[in-house]
Amino acid sequence: MDRRAELAENLAAVRARIAAACEAAGRSESEVRLLAVTKTFPADDAALLTDLGVADLAENRDQEAAAKTGEVARLRPDAAVRWHMVGRLQRNKARSVARWAAEVQTVDSPRLADALAKSVAAALDAGGRERPLDVLVQASLDDDPARGGCPLGELPALAERIAEKSDIFHLRGLMAVAPLGADPAPAFARLAEAAGSLRRDHPEATEISAGMSGDLEQAIAHGSTCVRVGTALLGGRGLASP
């Protein structure tokens, strides 16, 4: 099987899982966006996904993404691709990310928000980007600082800090990763509750990014509007593009 056919088969299977999960939850399939996580896979694979109708692609390391986004643009100059940052982000990478990302899903501290704000503002002023950055606040569901995420009790203050910069940021909602080695359902339930609280203060922040290859069904059952899928689409982790 050639790579395009393999990706098409995998994509159909993932979309079928999303459709089944939505039906089981009494939701419309249109409510859940598929985000293809292309980390460690070559730009050729990302380009093939765009051929198959996937418009939202994600990376988790700026160094890899900065090169890959440019390569995909050369391979598919007419493709309308939105790139998302879904990995932990260091403040010293904010300037680079501001140049290629349409959305950052992992803002988890005031210091990171401020660094991104400065970089996005500079990129907007210089013409390096055309619109504000879409931002999701990463919520911590396990209180493990090594995995990133803002403690749930600190979410309102961080969200307000982001929302105040409406000329630079668009606050979209919350993102989270389920705790390791545990049933993800209770964690996703806590995330849904936090998202509901956020929407009361920020009605435009409707996104809940939760669920990956192994737990997307549980995430959709608890209101996820964006699933981040890598392995089920692309297979086991490959070699990073240069």
Side-chain angles (χ1 to χ4, degrees), residues 9-145:
E9 183 176 298
N10 292 346
L11 178 61
V14 169
R15 291 201 185 281
R17 287 177 61 190
I18 292 171
C22 287
E23 183 177 5
R27 301 177 60 194
S28 168
E29 185 180 352
S30 64
E31 296 176 23
V32 180
R33 180 163 54 108
L34 172 61
L35 190 58
V37 182
T38 54
K39 65 178 184 179
T40 75
F41 285 90
D44 286 344
D45 280 354
L48 288 171
L49 286 171
T50 69
D51 294 342
L52 296 169
V54 178
D56 291 290
L57 303 177
E59 291 289 321
N60 75 333
R61 292 177 63 249
D62 171 68
Q63 183 176 357
E64 180 182 349
K68 189 181 297 182
T69 56
E71 190 173 352
V72 172
R74 290 190 294 273
L75 290 169
R76 298 294 188 275
D78 297 327
V81 181
R82 276 175 51 85
W83 288 97
H84 304 253
M85 178 64 171
V86 297
R88 293 198 70 183
L89 179 58
Q90 296 176 324
R91 296 192 305 278
N92 63 2
K93 300 295 185 181
R95 183 178 178 184
S96 177
V97 169
R99 290 195 290 264
W100 62 261
E103 179 174 88
V104 173
Q105 295 202 354
T106 50
V107 178
D108 62 359
S109 72
R111 294 179 71 189
L112 177 55
D114 291 347
L116 270 175
K118 181 178 179 180
S119 297
V120 171
L124 287 167
D125 289 343
R129 63 180 300 123
E130 298 178 353
R131 63 184 304 278
L133 180 72
D134 288 343
V135 169
L136 275 69
V137 177
Q138 183 180 353
S140 174
L141 299 179
D142 55 13
D143 296 320
D144 182 353

